[in-house]
Amino acid sequence: MQSLQEAIKALQKAATTLKDSDLKSEILPLCNAQGRILAQDYYAKKALPSFDNSAMDGYALHTKQSGQRLKIQTSIFAGDCKDVILGDLECAKIMTGAQIPQGANCVVPLEEIQGGFAQMDFIQAPASLKEWANIRKCGEEISANALLARRGMTLNADFLTLFATQGISHLRVFSPLRICVFASGNELKEPWEVANAHQIYNSNATMIQEILKNNGFQSIYCGILPDEFDCIKNALQTQGDVIFTTGGASVGEADFLYQALKEHNADFIIKGVEIKPGKPTMIAKIAQKFIIALPGNPLAGNVILRLLVIPFLRQLSQAEAFYPQPLICKADSSLKRKSRTEIVLAHIKGDSVSFTKGAKYGSSEVMPMVLSNGLVALSASCTEIAAGDMLKVLPFNPFFDTEEQNFIN
């Protein structure tokens, strides 16, 4: 049995056991790469901007010509390839994004010129001009060969847009984890089947797959395992990187998972966590495959999946940001509790947090999960919370960072 902190450290250590030779990658077009994790560093192929250009519509001229009457030599549009050289007492009409002509070092917005673009031959330059005003300098955002993104970064729309500005159309990303999900128990029936009074519907598989999907992981559902040793032992041979089961990690007579893992010479990472809910959690490794046995009670399984497993899967996926970041919220009510490590379901609203159902519910319940959007981790020393106390709260969909922050109160 491990403490919550020990379980977190054990998983972090286990995720580092994968060698580079075990990691697979693939090349995807930008439009298919959102949410994926970069498998290599990428550098700028060209400066951004790649040439000095105008930040607005106006007139390109030199600051030494302030207050003088200037001849309009030409008009320059975005995309023009012509080289324009301004002579003394000359300026050029210029559009946003167009290349700055030689001999100009500022752009005056058209609104600041009498007559604006209606002027055809001459303009009167303002008396006060600022060097490089309204000019986007070559490389001021990104210089050529600068690091664009590191291996391990999770790609979002903004990163993909950045790559597009560089003419990079395809990216090498890590292949996604192959995740298989089993439920287990003779008492289970699928939602599309008829359940008798002594049977319950399999909700755990849906819970696991949908939380995984919400965090960017795809999975394959492999069905319900009966409480039979050989069936469980064979299921552990399923091809994949991660195999989920629910139930079977406690000490009941029909819980065969532990023995099946031993027969496969598994290395045990977690064999129970001193936490409520979620104590009967087991995570092991067979060769390069991880077996995650969540508690059979849906609320307990939900908590462990969000609290421990999702960060672990992000690290396994080679994401550099896998540490969940807590929010700081104000408790809107008091709470007295026993001296134990406990995860309390909560609802975050604005800068405050409330305890779902007053923190009075069972680990087999489902409705408290529906009413919640966050988790409050409480240490054994935190036996009383007063209204107004500031608490660290993990949202159901937390922000992940590269630096670890303690989320336990």
Side-chain angles (χ1 to χ4, degrees):
M1 189 74 66
Q2 294 153 288
S3 69
L4 175 57
Q5 294 91 334
E6 289 170 341
I8 292 171
K9 292 303 179 185
L11 288 173
Q12 291 173 356
K13 182 179 179 181
T16 63
T17 59
L18 293 181
K19 302 175 182 178
D20 281 351
S21 58
D22 299 322
L23 303 175
K24 296 181 176 62
S25 65
E26 56 188 334
I27 296 175
L28 294 179
L30 294 184
C31 60
N32 293 340
Q34 184 161 187
R36 300 295 290 274
I37 297 165
L38 277 181
Q40 66 180 57
D41 293 344
Y42 278 86
Y43 295 86
K45 296 165 61 176
K46 59 189 293 188
L48 188 66
S50 56
F51 54 89
D52 293 352
N53 69 86
S54 179
M56 57 181 57
D57 295 343
Y59 287 87
L61 47 90
H62 199 283
T63 52
K64 67 183 181 181
Q65 298 164 337
S66 60
Q68 300 189 61
R69 187 170 182 262
L70 306 179
K71 177 179 174 58
I72 302 171
Q73 185 204 106
T74 187
S75 295
I76 310 172
F77 296 88
D80 282 353
C81 297
K82 60 185 179 183
D83 291 326
V84 177
I85 301 174
L86 298 180
D88 290 338
L89 300 179
E90 286 188 336
C91 67
K93 290 182 180 179
I94 192 165
M95 310 304 157
T96 301
Q99 184 169 334
I100 300 297
Q102 293 184 45
N105 67 353
C106 72
V107 172
V108 179
L110 67 91
E111 296 85 358
E112 296 180 14
I113 298 295
Q114 186 176 4
F117 276 168
Q119 298 289 359
M120 302 304 294
D121 299 313
F122 294 91
I123 65 166
Q124 186 69 33
S128 178
L129 297 174
K130 184 178 179 180
E131 190 175 22
W132 307 121
N134 305 310
I135 292 178
R136 294 186 289 225
K137 295 286 290 177
C138 175
E140 70 176 22
E141 185 176 354
I142 299 171
S143 58
N145 302 313
L147 180 67
L148 285 179
R150 297 184 302 275
R151 165 183 159 144
M153 284 187 168
T154 302
L155 294 168
N156 57 26
D158 301 309
F159 269 121
L160 296 175
T161 302
L162 177 62
F163 284 118
T165 68
Q166 293 292 310
I168 298 173
S169 62
H170 289 70
L171 298 170
R172 181 170 292 280
V173 296
F174 285 109
S175 299
L177 294 174
R178 298 169 299 161
I179 301 175
C180 303
V181 177
F182 289 95
S184 65
N186 292 336
E187 74 279 14
L188 295 182
K189 284 288 186 178
E190 299 289 13
W192 54 87
E193 297 178 321
V194 176
N196 297 324
H198 65 281
Q199 296 171 319
I200 60 175
Y201 285 113
N202 170 23
S203 62
N204 279 335
T206 298
M207 179 267 291
I208 293 170
Q209 288 197 284
E210 293 309 308
I211 291 178
L212 289 175
K213 186 187 300 181
N214 200 41
N215 283 273
F217 299 102
Q218 297 299 316
S219 60
I220 298 172
Y221 178 54
C222 298
I224 297 173
L225 292 175
D227 292 324
E228 298 174 9
F229 177 78
D230 287 340
C231 289
I232 294 172
K233 181 180 177 182
N234 290 336
L236 298 182
Q237 299 178 32
T238 303
Q239 294 295 311
D241 300 307
V242 180
I243 296 178
F244 276 90
T245 70
T246 59
S250 61
V251 293
E253 290 184 4
D255 292 337
F256 300 115
L257 180 60
Y258 178 71
Q259 188 59 39
L261 286 167
K262 287 181 66 176
E263 290 212 8
H264 279 291
N265 296 315
D267 294 321
F268 289 90
I269 302 166
I270 292 177
K271 289 193 292 185
V273 185
E274 292 177 357
I275 189 175
K276 175 183 170 59
K279 181 177 179 180
T281 298
M282 188 183 301
I283 300 179
K285 185 181 181 185
I286 302 173
Q288 296 301 310
K289 177 168 54 185
F290 291 91
I291 313 300
I292 299 174
L294 296 175
N297 283 323
L299 189 147
N302 185 306
V303 167
I304 293 298
L305 179 55
R306 295 182 187 277
L307 189 74
L308 294 180
V309 178
I310 294 300
F312 173 60
L313 294 181
R314 285 186 59 83
Q315 189 178 2
L316 274 185
S317 300
Q318 304 306 302
E320 66 169 11
F322 58 85
Y323 296 112
Q325 303 297 295
L327 302 177
I328 304 299
C329 300
K330 180 172 59 178
D332 70 355
S333 62
S334 60
L335 180 66
K336 291 186 177 181
R337 47 184 299 278
K338 296 179 181 179
S339 178
R340 63 189 177 195
T341 302
E342 185 173 4
I343 309 301
V344 177
L345 290 172
H347 185 83
I348 305 165
K349 186 175 182 180
D351 62 353
S352 66
V353 62
S354 59
F355 305 112
T356 303
K357 297 182 69 174
K360 296 178 180 179
Y361 47 77
S363 61
S364 63
E365 295 184 41
V366 175
M367 186 54 71
M369 298 185 294
V370 176
L371 300 174
S372 306
N373 62 7
L375 304 172
V376 180
L378 301 172
S379 65
S381 62
C382 183
T383 57
E384 186 171 354
I385 296 169
D389 283 354
M390 303 307 292
L391 297 173
K392 289 174 280 191
V393 186
L394 283 179
F396 276 1
N397 297 303
F399 174 73
F400 292 93
D401 204 351
T402 56
E403 294 185 7
E404 186 170 13
Q405 286 193 32
N406 180 22
F407 56 76
I408 304 173
N409 295 277

